[in-house]
Amino acid sequence: MADVTTDFATDKSSGTTELDALVIGAGFAGLYQLLCLRDRLGLKVKSLEAGSGVGGTWYWNRYPGARCDSESHAYWYTFSPEMMREWEWSERYPGQAEIMRYLNFAADRFDLKKDIQFDTRVTAAHYDQATNRWHVRTEAGETFVVKFLITAVGCLSTANVPNFPGLDSFKGDWYHTGEWPHEGVDFTGKRVGMIGTGSTGIQAAPVIAETAAHLTVFQRTANYSVPARNVPLTPEFQQYIKDNPTEIREATHSTLNGQPFRIEERMALETPPEEREAIYEKAWERGGLQFRASFKDMMASKAANDTAAEFIKGKIREIVKDPKTAALLSDIDHPYAAKRPPIDSGYFETFNRPNVSLVDVKAAPIERISPAGVCTKDAEYPLDIIVFATGFDAMTGPMLRMDIRGRDGVALKDAWEAGPRNYLGLQVAGFPNLFTITGPGSPSVLCNMPVAIEQHAEWIADCIAYMRKQGLERIEARPEAMDQWVAEVNEIASKTLLPMAKHSWYLGANIPGKPKVFMPYAGGMVRYREICTEVVERGYEGFSLT
Ligand code: N01
């Protein structure tokens, strides 16, 4: 095991800054955590951000068609009713550029940027037991010495580019959707290949197809999608938002997934088939993630889920004119919403265009990239541009790409060798005073993100305030509390259909060699919030405070 103290002691680079707390990241989570700690607690705190601006996920994911799948009136901060009245969303779902404007507005409104150091990637964070401080190092060699360290690094910020042999030899250009060039990519007249048909690929394909000479979509696993039906917001709805900030906050705080709609109480299997079809039809017409909320048993019973799955597969076959393409697109191998369910703006319709084709890379996998294009087992596809919509090393990736070491120099990557382990998704035993926002073990990606983020940032700030008031220096999850929580996360997931999607990034199954563990807490945001509150009421049960 490396001698961590020596590591930092031998660092002769550009100086050391001492702070009460350091936040890693300046996306939705990092900005709010910075605000809570600086303005509410009065801490000396900074945020370090790898990008040149605020935005996190939205800063990096600038691919064509990038848009939030949560509706705009639910996808923002709700801690300030005044700010909710000041901002006006333009569309039902906010696009990437509008979200960036919003986050810049929020950061400027609270004057946060002066305490954010941009273009600063954290490479290591080591805990020094003797002084109870975290020593945090950046790529440029700066060191920060802090009592509290909060990672707000996002769940989907480590791009996964599959290790295809020959990528270096490709004569054209290639891009990963999660690291998209700021200046954009001009597809006009180009032969474009897009690998991946998750939420990202499904958003990007229709937009790329509009200008590309030809778009070839390489599909390994067919996917469900429901129309988003994005529209400009009416002035009446914009006014409704301004008039009802508290109600909107309460609505998103009282639902399982932090969305502004409830899961219906009715059961798919107890509803007569004709009535059920009519309900699905209405949900399809309304569009969006609410489709998943049509019946209570949809995520608990495979037979119930099948009714939704068959409905969507039928829609795909109706929309896509070429029967072979329709068959490939609707040959879906997992329950609906067991993978994060995409919503789209004309995805299946895109395959009716003469300049779009679908290649089944499950039947004939991609073997390599040649100088000319993508080579599958069966054929070579000549291309000018390859778009990797191949997802992320989700949830653990952003944490593990930093060299985080806790008590006795134990590396987080070793502590998580068999999969992520923590207590409440907030703390790892052996890593005192380190908090993670919306990481594994919390509802995070199963929840509308800003709702989950606000709860975590407020819980962490309240915890630090409590410690200061009580004169406490150190908080650390107890190993037995962590074991129990990991067991609970697993048990709850096993009662749902979620683990049935074998290639899902929820399970880490999209990354070769990654342990297959269902990572997010599937018990719902309301229950999770109650648990976190009860833990505090019982004197931070499960944590050691010293
Ligand atoms: O990534 P994904 P994503 N050969 O992992 C395929 C959020 N999001 O970027 O399923 C061939 O879902 C892979 O195939 P398979 C949202 O939470 C939010 O699309 O593994 N194909 C799959 O089709 C989402 O879930 C929003 O067989 C390969 C695709 O690449 C998350 O981000 C918008 C391959 C990856 O799908 C990630 O979505 C967009 C290979 N070697 C995304 N490797 C909004 O709300 C991978 N694939 C705005």
Side-chain angles (χ1 to χ4, degrees):
M1 199 163 292
D3 178 347
V4 296
T5 328
T6 310
D7 252 354
F8 277 85
T10 54
D11 183 1
K12 301 267 186 292
S13 50
S14 35
T16 295
T17 307
E18 291 191 23
L19 298 167
D20 297 323
L22 189 71
V23 179
I24 309 177
F28 260 103
L31 290 176
Y32 186 46
Q33 188 69 80
L34 176 62
L35 182 150
C36 291
L37 298 181
R38 189 193 68 179
D39 297 356
R40 295 185 194 157
L41 270 60
L43 298 194
K44 206 170 151 201
V45 52
K46 242 180 189 299
S47 151
L48 303 183
E49 165 58 54
S52 303
V54 302
T57 297
W58 298 102
Y59 177 89
W60 301 104
N61 280 267
R62 295 165 186 253
Y63 60 86
R67 186 176 289 287
C68 185
D69 290 345
S70 291
E71 297 192 28
S72 49
H73 68 290
Y75 196 78
W76 58 346
Y77 296 118
T78 61
F79 65 85
S80 162
E82 296 77 31
M83 185 164 71
M84 292 169 83
R85 285 194 195 95
E86 288 162 21
W87 182 257
E88 191 166 273
W89 293 110
S90 68
E91 295 179 271
R92 179 175 174 186
Y93 305 93
Q96 179 271 341
E98 190 166 21
I99 298 173
M100 283 295 285
R101 284 197 295 279
Y102 170 71
L103 287 172
N104 275 284
F105 156 77
D108 291 337
R109 190 186 189 280
F110 294 101
D111 201 11
L112 295 173
K113 286 179 189 167
K114 68 172 190 236
D115 292 307
I116 304 170
Q117 187 171 315
F118 294 107
D119 301 304
T120 304
R121 185 174 285 286
V122 170
T123 52
H126 295 178
Y127 176 68
D128 177 18
Q129 195 163 340
T131 57
N132 187 37
R133 290 293 181 275
W134 281 91
H135 292 238
V136 179
R137 188 160 48 195
T138 71
E139 211 166 43
E142 264 180 289
T143 302
F144 293 82
V145 177
V146 302
K147 191 197 277 188
F148 296 104
L149 179 62
I150 300 105
T151 64
V153 291
C155 295
L156 299 161
S157 49
T158 305
N160 166 42
V161 179
N163 191 15
F164 295 126
L167 182 57
D168 287 350
S169 73
F170 181 54
K171 291 248 163 32
D173 297 317
W174 66 267
Y175 308 93
H176 187 281
T177 50
E179 293 172 347
W180 202 256
H182 285 209
E183 62 281 12
V185 176
D186 185 5
F187 296 105
T188 314
K190 306 280 193 204
R191 296 163 305 171
V192 182
M194 189 188 78
I195 304 171
T197 54
S199 300
T200 301
I202 282 176
Q203 284 188 331
V207 185
I208 296 173
E210 277 170 21
T211 53
H214 192 89
L215 171 65
T216 308
V217 176
F218 295 92
Q219 170 188 282
R220 186 165 68 182
T221 305
N223 211 342
Y224 300 96
S225 185
V226 169
R229 306 211 188 280
N230 186 37
V231 284
L233 289 182
T234 60
E236 292 74 32
F237 194 73
Q238 286 169 329
Q239 191 57 45
Y240 163 80
I241 298 173
K242 286 188 204 302
D243 292 344
N244 295 283
T246 311
E247 288 73 4
I248 290 171
R249 177 176 163 90
E250 277 166 14
T252 54
H253 279 217
S254 63
T255 58
L256 188 79
N257 297 326
Q259 295 289 354
F261 50 79
R262 287 185 184 284
I263 295 173
E264 299 288 347
E265 282 299 317
R266 63 191 170 217
M267 300 287 188
L269 295 180
E270 291 167 9
T271 306
E274 269 179 30
E275 201 182 309
R276 196 169 57 209
E277 284 299 291
I279 288 168
Y280 285 139
E281 197 63 59
K282 207 167 152 204
W284 182 267
E285 283 314 311
R286 183 179 51 225
L289 291 173
Q290 200 169 347
F291 188 93
R292 183 177 46 175
S294 301
F295 293 101
K296 194 178 179 181
D297 47 354
M298 205 190 273
M299 294 313 296
S301 148
K302 173 74 167 58
N305 191 285
D306 284 347
T307 65
E310 284 313 314
F311 176 87
I312 300 175
K313 289 176 187 177
K315 286 288 182 193
I316 299 171
R317 289 189 285 265
E318 244 172 71
I319 296 169
V320 180
K321 299 211 169 74
D322 172 49
K324 208 172 141 221
T325 307
L328 271 180
L329 287 167
S330 59
D331 184 16
I332 308 173
D333 65 2
H334 52 276
Y336 169 65
K339 282 184 169 184
R340 156 71 152 72
I343 61 174
D344 69 275
S345 297
Y347 176 66
F348 296 115
E349 291 81 351
T350 295
F351 292 93
N352 293 333
R353 295 177 67 115
N355 68 332
V356 176
S357 50
L358 183 68
V359 173
D360 177 5
V361 294
K362 186 183 253 174
I366 298 172
E367 290 191 329
R368 64 193 169 87
I369 309 290
S370 69
V374 168
C375 299
T376 69
K377 199 164 145 276
D378 286 350
E380 180 178 63
Y381 296 86
L383 299 166
D384 303 307
I385 296 176
I386 303 174
V387 174
F388 288 92
T390 42
F392 302 89
D393 181 356
M395 306 200 80
T396 52
M399 294 285 293
L400 295 181
R401 75 171 160 186
M402 299 179 286
D403 174 22
I404 298 179
R405 288 167 195 252
R407 193 190 289 289
D408 303 323
V410 172
L412 186 63
K413 76 171 171 21
D414 293 331
W416 283 6
E417 197 180 4
R421 300 175 60 74
N422 58 26
Y423 179 43
L424 301 175
L426 281 163
Q427 271 217 325
V428 185
F431 295 77
N433 292 358
L434 170 70
F435 296 97
T436 54
I437 303 188
T438 63
S442 74
S444 63
V445 293
L446 297 179
C447 182
N448 178 29
M449 266 297 176
V451 175
I453 284 168
E454 283 190 336
Q455 187 264 344
H456 261 186
E458 287 165 10
W459 193 97
I460 292 165
D462 289 348
C463 172
I464 294 175
Y466 170 81
M467 288 175 69
R468 283 159 64 86
K469 199 163 161 220
Q470 302 294 321
L472 297 162
E473 289 289 313
R474 182 160 49 208
I475 180 165
E476 182 178 350
R478 291 178 191 273
E480 65 278 13
M482 182 167 85
D483 291 346
Q484 272 170 22
W485 183 248
V486 170
E488 189 166 340
V489 170
N490 281 328
E491 199 197 320
I492 288 176
S494 71
K495 289 183 183 150
T496 72
L497 304 180
L498 290 163
M500 285 181 73
K502 296 279 173 272
H503 296 111
S504 149
W505 60 259
Y506 291 158
L507 272 167
N510 62 328
I511 302 294
K514 188 167 172 170
K516 290 189 182 47
V517 174
F518 191 83
M519 293 186 282
Y521 171 78
M525 194 60 213
V526 175
R527 180 65 196 127
Y528 178 78
R529 189 189 298 278
E530 281 168 8
I531 294 171
C532 291
T533 306
E534 286 160 14
V535 160
V536 173
E537 284 165 0
R538 292 197 205 107
Y540 286 90
E541 187 181 51
F543 292 97
S544 302
L545 284 142
T546 45

